[in-house]
Amino acid sequence: MKLEILCYPDARLNKIAQPVLQVDERIAQLADDMLETMYDANGVGLAAIQVNVQERVIVVDVSQTRDEPLVLINPQIVEHSNTLILHEEGCLSVPDIYDDVERWDWVAVEALDKQGKSFRVEADGLLAVCLQHEIDHLDGHVFVEYLSTLKRNRIRTKLLKRAREQGKQR
């Protein structure tokens, strides 16, 4: 089932997600619905907080063929490089806005899969950036918070204006 994606500056995007206490059918279904929503929106990652679920679940697929989904429950960055890279990011909650954000170029993330089994992902490139971006969402952060106050305010104004205009069209 496709879910509604919250749009910045919705205050619910700044909530901190709670750990998943039990990986069960409800969480597996949430992950499936999040993947469907992410693919439908042409995204490469989605955090549960973006669909107004305050639990620590993210889905990611950076493959060209869009057939390598990763589901991470209670993900934690356990190691990272000391090297930072600048990478252009976008976000399904900040539609049509892209800007450079500084991230570690390599991360190791530990999480649970849909069956509740522990696993580790070591990633660089786009996958590393995406994992950091989505884990930020779980901690109540949107990528625009890394930008200057001026840029952030312009984005906020633009998206609020767009929301008002779309509201009038309905």
Side-chain angles (χ1 to χ4, degrees), residues 8 43 60 73 87 95 136 152:
Y8 180 82
V60 175
I73 299 164
H87 195 279
D136 266 1
R152 196 168 48 251

Side-chain angles (χ1 to χ4, degrees), residues 62-132:
V62 298
S63 69
Q64 292 291 324
T65 50
R66 313 294 284 147
D67 60 357
E68 296 176 25
L70 266 178
V71 173
L72 297 98
I73 299 164
N74 296 335
Q76 284 188 292
I77 297 172
V78 294
E79 286 183 68
H80 60 80
S81 66
N82 292 323
T83 308
L84 295 171
I85 56 168
L86 210 53
H87 195 279
E88 186 179 68
E89 293 186 28
C91 180
L92 295 177
S93 291
V94 190
D96 307 318
I97 305 290
Y98 301 89
D99 213 318
D100 289 334
V101 176
E102 208 171 47
R103 302 276 188 188
W104 295 308
D105 73 342
W106 176 89
V107 293
V109 175
E110 290 181 356
L112 301 175
D113 65 15
K114 283 194 333 184
Q115 289 72 45
K117 293 190 177 14
S118 183
F119 72 104
R120 177 182 169 111
V121 176
E122 295 186 11
D124 59 7
L126 180 58
L127 181 56
V129 168
C130 192
L131 289 169
Q132 292 170 79

